[in-house]
Amino acid sequence: MASHIVGYPRMGPKRELKFALESFWDKKSSAEDLQKVAADLRSAIWKQMADAGIKYIPSNTFSYYDQVLDATSMLGAVPPRYGWNGGEIRFDTYFSMARGNASVPAMEMTKWFDTNYHFIVPELGPDVNFSYASHKAVDEYKEAKSHGVDTVPVLVGPVSYLLLSKPAKGVEKTFSLLSLLPKILPIYKEVISELKAAGASWIQFDEPTLVLDLDSHQLQAFTAAYADLESALSGLNVLIETYFADLTTEAYKTLVGLKGVTAYGLDLVRGTQTIDLVKAGFPEGKYLFAGVVDGRNIWANDLASSLSTLQQLEDIVGKDKLVVSTSCSLLHTAVDLVNETKLDDEIKSWLAFAAQKVVEVNALAKALAGQKDEAFFAANAAAQASRKSSPRVTNEAVQKAAAALKGSDHRRATNVSARLDAQQKKLNLPVLPTTTIGSFPQTLELRRVRREFKANKISEDNYIKAIKEEIKKVVDLQEELDIDVLVHGEPERNDMVEYFGEQLSGFAFTVNGWVQSYGSRCVKPPIIYGDVSRPKPMTVFWSSTAQSMTQRPMKGMLTGPVTILNWSFVRNDQPRFETCYQIALAIKDEVEDLEKAGINVIQIDEAALREGLPLRNSEHAFYLKWAVHSFRITNCGVQDTTQIHTHMCYSNFNDIIHSIIDMDADVITIENSRSDEKLLSVFREGVKYGAGIGPGVYDIHSPRIPSTEEIADRINKMLAVLETNILWVNPDCGLKTRKYAEVKPALNNMVAAAKLLRTQLASAK
């Protein structure tokens, strides 16, 4: 019985690639140094999977930034602004597309389906001259072969690539991206030809868009694409991999009808109904790559249950045609549980990171083949039973409080326009008030202080003194820049979710459980293993300290319940909405304590609300109902004069704008600049928004510093569709990943632009 891994984490067990990338970007190391780190990581990954007994090992799932950007490079689809003149795409062009450079902005970045991973959105149009410009897929296949490992090269499928793209600037929004299929398929054929010549016997096309709600024209594109590729693929075994959700009946029929295809990869974890489609009919002689090991969470697989599922499938597709696989790439989980030295043994026994999932996949494959490791299965069964019965998982008081939420929609008593009037009387803000999103740069010295405090190398008094000094520095800088509503900079926080999880019950934390979010940016999601409550205030001391340093309004900074949920590894033994309501009650306690402490502006970030939206339209309404309700629970008890902000970043919000309005926040700050001001189109189309709104005026994920004129131009575009009295001026997101050398001039230009527009507006009256 064979085994397969869809993809594997790239950063390395100790984030080796992250540090190599940042060293290269800072010009502290060479391209050769970066390539050496990458080659060592790839070699270790391939060896690990080979040693574990995996038969179908992927290659070309490693990336220096993003796999969709790799596909853009392969196709030579470089936007003209980057000045690429043909030939093999090198690091300078590649990273300019990803991060921007001194003269041009980066390409748009958005969420990869409903995960916390971000991809770089291709910009396409009828005039793009596609060419074979990156041989990475072939080079990595050959590299693995030189290490004695015959891999399955993985490509982003041609149809998903186009469906995930957007029309380039200046191209009609109605332009059919799928019309470009005949232009990109010749390049895919070149890649296929080179892989065949190099000795590849299998090839994997990732076509995850098959799980979306597709129309007949879009489904027909898959049929046409693979019919066109059929002769080029002759002699290769072809796997079409899907993941993240169920296939519709129509999509399943399209998938199993594709020409030249040998195998189908299905997510049987999130795709809970897909197995019924397989039972209803599976093409004879084809392989089923059964994704029974969860690639998106860190809970140990219930091996007995998975084995039962696999045995059912074996009866349908045949013993020699069933391959045990992960549900999706393991990119979305942490790397190796072996590196976790501080988790207690009980919780650790409930978990499996990427390295352990590789072992689980192979254990299931061997069990199906009659070589069941009885001791391994028995230990797994004991861990499953321990988790179900552990008293640390359940808190009856929390469950009772969450159950009592039913029957109320938890809205504030006064409408938003009346609240804004009351808040303005108290805050006395100018037109186009300026603010930032929360965090300020996290210097090496600041990180050292936090690290040493956690390691008990400095006293609590010295730690508090150092953090207060950092807050004072951030407050003084904002006053010097003349920003209107201040933040304390969050120097006490390494991560916006981890910080709160550490202070809430029901959470556990890892030392090296890092997961890639984008580029070199990694996050360490907390693990929600039990019922959630707040034992004591979490942010009141720091917010009060910061407010005491200034006469200007100081925002209290919290992470919202939906974002804490979506950016954690969530327990899978109860519905997600139940866990979310528990978190909402904990944040509600914190909001009310901040208000009592004299904090008049409180920001409750819901950066990840959109990313949790189910991939299926039919499931949107239920999710949005409980997600928006959870947010309202957090602040339903505050006074009219307390201004509630929320923040959302890097996603497509246009389709949920009415739910955003229903959140009933007083002010929302939202990503806008990197997505070509896509958000503004909603308001151009007539959606009325009465609360305060701050569409981001510059992209903080790029080191580029925007000019005053550029920011003023952005504000003017906003004023064309939004009322002057509701518009705020702010960056797209928090500033923790940037350097002060970038932040100071960018914020200075932002404030100057706001003042320029205020003067123009005053003179126009």
Side-chain angles (χ1 to χ4, degrees):
M1 187 61 58
S3 52
H4 166 251
I5 304 297
V6 176
Y8 203 79
R10 308 156 180 161
M11 285 290 121
K14 300 282 180 71
R15 295 181 292 162
E16 292 87 345
L17 182 62
K18 168 190 171 66
F19 299 121
L21 282 166
E22 291 173 355
S23 176
F24 174 70
W25 293 335
D26 290 341
K27 297 183 168 48
K28 294 177 181 175
S29 61
S30 67
E32 291 74 21
D33 294 330
L34 174 58
Q35 289 164 334
K36 171 72 165 60
V37 170
D40 289 347
L41 284 171
R42 288 193 296 268
S43 171
I45 290 166
W46 292 326
K47 183 178 187 304
Q48 176 190 357
M49 285 193 254
D51 290 349
I54 301 298
K55 180 174 180 180
Y56 299 112
I57 297 171
S59 60
N60 199 41
T61 59
F62 179 89
S63 178
Y64 286 102
Y65 207 94
D66 163 52
Q67 73 270 17
V68 181
L69 183 61
D70 292 349
T72 293
S73 299
M74 181 185 84
L75 296 168
V78 180
R81 65 181 177 275
Y82 298 108
W84 176 65
N85 295 315
E88 189 80 2
I89 289 175
R90 305 297 178 191
F91 279 156
D92 56 348
T93 302
Y94 181 85
F95 288 128
S96 289
M97 289 192 285
R99 307 176 70 237
N101 58 43
S103 56
V104 291
M107 294 169 71
E108 180 184 353
M109 180 170 70
T110 198
K111 295 292 172 81
W112 178 246
F113 294 81
D114 58 348
T115 73
N116 187 32
Y117 177 75
H118 302 65
F119 74 99
I120 303 296
V121 182
E123 302 172 12
L124 305 178
D127 299 327
V128 176
N129 293 313
F130 296 100
S131 64
Y132 187 11
S134 170
H135 292 66
K136 176 178 174 293
V138 178
D139 292 343
E140 285 189 18
Y141 173 77
K142 290 178 178 176
E143 181 186 337
K145 206 168 182 184
S146 73
H147 289 284
V149 182
D150 189 20
T151 59
V152 179
V154 179
L155 301 176
V156 175
V159 183
S160 288
Y161 177 79
L162 293 177
L163 290 176
L164 293 168
S165 301
K166 70 172 186 178
K169 209 164 190 175
V171 175
E172 288 292 327
K173 299 303 177 191
T174 55
F175 173 71
S176 170
L177 293 160
L178 290 175
S179 69
L180 297 173
L181 257 181
K183 292 188 175 183
I184 68 171
L185 289 178
I187 292 145
Y188 275 88
K189 289 174 184 176
E190 286 188 69
V191 179
I192 291 163
S193 174
E194 288 192 7
L195 286 169
K196 283 165 76 171
S201 58
W202 278 83
I203 187 168
Q204 174 179 320
F205 292 98
D206 281 5
E207 293 281 15
T209 56
L210 271 167
V211 306
L212 302 177
D213 290 310
L214 302 179
D215 61 34
S216 57
H217 172 67
Q218 292 167 322
L219 290 172
Q220 175 57 32
F222 289 92
T223 303
Y226 287 93
D228 192 317
L229 291 174
E230 184 180 13
S231 60
L233 290 167
S234 176
L236 279 174
N237 291 295
V238 179
L239 166 63
I240 307 294
E241 187 66 52
T242 70
Y243 36 79
F244 297 152
D246 281 306
L247 294 166
T248 63
T249 303
E250 294 77 14
Y252 180 74
K253 285 178 182 173
T254 299
L255 174 66
V256 297
L258 296 178
K259 293 192 173 178
V261 173
T262 318
Y264 315 103
L266 303 177
D267 182 341
L268 301 180
V269 176
R270 295 212 168 206
T272 53
Q273 309 302 314
T274 296
I275 195 165
D276 294 332
L277 295 172
V278 175
K279 289 176 180 176
F282 190 81
E284 192 175 346
K286 303 291 187 181
Y287 288 83
L288 172 60
F289 281 55
V292 294
V293 172
D294 192 351
R296 287 184 59 174
N297 217 327
I298 42 65
W299 303 108
N301 188 271
D302 184 337
L303 295 178
S305 176
S306 292
L307 186 57
S308 173
T309 299
L310 290 165
Q311 286 165 341
Q312 292 176 52
L313 292 169
E314 191 177 54
D315 293 339
I316 298 164
V317 306
K319 197 175 187 71
D320 61 335
K321 298 297 182 185
L322 183 63
V323 178
V324 183
S325 184
T326 53
S327 64
C328 62
S329 173
L330 297 176
L331 172 70
H332 309 289
T333 191
V335 179
D336 196 340
L337 198 54
V338 167
N339 297 316
E340 299 309 321
T341 54
K342 295 188 178 177
L343 279 172
D344 68 71
D345 288 343
E346 182 181 36
I347 288 180
K348 203 169 179 179
S349 74
W350 302 343
L351 307 178
F353 291 180
Q356 288 69 48
K357 289 176 187 292
V358 168
V359 174
E360 288 179 339
V361 166
N362 200 55
L364 287 165
K366 288 175 74 175
L368 269 179
Q371 302 165 33
K372 185 177 179 184
D373 184 334
E374 296 291 352
F376 188 72
F377 271 71
N380 175 266
Q384 298 291 326
S386 156
R387 187 173 163 218
K388 284 175 184 171
S389 62
S390 175
R392 67 199 299 184
V393 170
T394 307
N395 181 326
E396 286 186 17
V398 170
Q399 294 199 347
K400 190 174 178 182
L405 293 170
K406 290 165 186 165
S408 170
D409 62 4
H410 296 89
R411 291 184 185 275
R412 291 169 78 178
T414 312
N415 69 42
V416 69
S417 60
R419 298 197 310 261
L420 288 174
D421 287 343
Q423 292 155 15
Q424 179 59 15
K425 284 173 186 169
K426 188 164 192 173
L427 299 173
N428 193 29
L429 297 172
V431 171
L432 306 179
T434 54
T435 191
T436 64
I437 303 306
S439 60
F440 265 63
Q442 301 255 322
T443 62
L444 290 173
E445 174 63 17
L446 181 56
R447 293 177 192 276
R448 181 192 65 77
V449 167
R450 280 202 310 262
R451 191 168 57 246
E452 290 187 354
F453 178 59
K454 277 197 168 184
N456 295 315
K457 291 181 179 177
I458 60 172
S459 69
E460 184 174 13
D461 286 346
N462 284 338
Y463 170 73
I464 290 172
K465 180 172 179 286
I467 297 299
K468 281 183 174 180
E469 287 172 357
E470 184 69 20
I471 291 172
K472 184 73 167 72
K473 183 175 82 173
V474 169
V475 170
D476 288 349
L477 172 61
Q478 291 171 93
E479 290 196 323
E480 177 191 327
L481 291 166
D482 205 17
I483 291 172
D484 300 305
V485 176
L486 311 190
V487 298
H488 76 289
E490 304 176 10
E492 78 284 14
R493 308 177 195 182
N494 177 60
D495 176 85
M496 62 189 283
V497 173
E498 182 181 4
Y499 175 80
F500 290 98
E502 283 177 338
Q503 300 181 79
L504 294 168
S505 63
F507 282 75
F509 292 87
T510 63
V511 176
N512 287 297
W514 298 99
V515 179
Q516 185 183 16
S517 178
Y518 63 87
S520 68
R521 167 81 169 139
C522 297
V523 294
K524 197 165 42 154
I527 298 164
I528 305 177
Y529 67 84
D531 291 335
V532 178
S533 63
R534 185 197 75 145
K536 61 182 181 181
M538 302 179 285
T539 65
V540 175
F541 173 76
W542 296 119
S543 292
S544 301
T545 298
Q547 184 63 82
S548 71
M549 297 174 179
T550 180
Q551 295 300 307
R552 301 184 186 211
M554 175 64 61
K555 283 198 278 193
M557 299 300 305
L558 305 175
T559 303
V562 185
T563 296
I564 290 176
L565 184 87
N566 285 335
W567 286 357
S568 298
F569 290 125
V570 183
R571 58 189 294 190
N572 57 0
D573 58 346
Q574 70 177 15
R576 287 172 71 87
F577 70 85
E578 290 186 14
T579 303
C580 198
Y581 283 153
Q582 293 177 2
I583 303 169
L585 287 170
I587 300 300
K588 181 176 186 288
D589 291 344
E590 187 71 13
V591 167
E592 291 171 5
D593 280 349
L594 281 168
E595 184 182 55
K596 287 173 192 167
I599 304 299
N600 297 315
V601 183
I602 302 170
Q603 181 170 307
I604 308 165
D605 286 345
E606 284 297 13
L609 188 140
R610 173 60 176 79
E611 84 180 40
L613 193 69
L615 300 177
R616 273 294 144 60
N617 291 333
S618 60
E619 299 170 17
H620 287 187
F622 178 66
Y623 167 78
L624 289 168
K625 182 179 179 181
W626 63 256
V628 169
H629 187 193
S630 295
F631 176 82
R632 288 202 306 262
I633 288 166
T634 65
N635 60 87
C636 63
V638 300
Q639 300 172 32
D640 288 355
T641 50
T642 298
Q643 190 167 83
I644 298 296
H645 288 225
T646 190
H647 170 68
M648 295 182 174
C649 59
Y650 295 95
S651 201
N652 182 9
F653 303 106
N654 296 24
D655 53 350
I656 64 162
I657 191 67
H658 293 289
S659 294
I660 291 173
I661 293 169
D662 198 38
M663 291 169 74
D664 199 28
D666 296 310
V667 178
I668 179 169
T669 53
I670 197 162
E671 185 278 324
N672 175 65
S673 64
R674 190 160 183 170
S675 57
D676 293 332
E677 292 143 356
K678 194 189 302 178
L679 174 72
L680 299 186
S681 66
V682 169
F683 305 111
R684 291 191 194 103
E685 290 159 12
V687 170
K688 297 298 179 191
Y689 194 77
I693 184 166
V697 296
Y698 79 90
D699 173 25
I700 66 87
H701 288 94
S702 169
R704 183 173 168 273
I705 298 164
S707 67
T708 299
E709 294 73 23
E710 182 182 331
I711 295 174
D713 181 57
R714 281 218 166 97
I715 298 170
N716 269 320
K717 288 179 181 175
M718 297 169 192
L719 287 170
V721 292
L722 293 166
E723 295 294 328
T724 307
N725 64 336
I726 66 169
L727 187 61
W728 285 64
V729 177
N730 47 264
D732 263 346
C733 206
L735 303 169
K736 68 182 290 183
T737 60
R738 299 268 55 90
K739 297 178 174 63
Y740 273 105
E742 300 156 355
V743 165
K744 288 179 184 178
L747 290 180
N748 186 65
N749 292 349
M750 183 187 83
V751 173
K755 289 180 176 179
L756 176 66
L757 268 294
R758 285 175 199 158
T759 302
Q760 291 176 2
L761 288 167
S763 63
K765 283 183 180 177

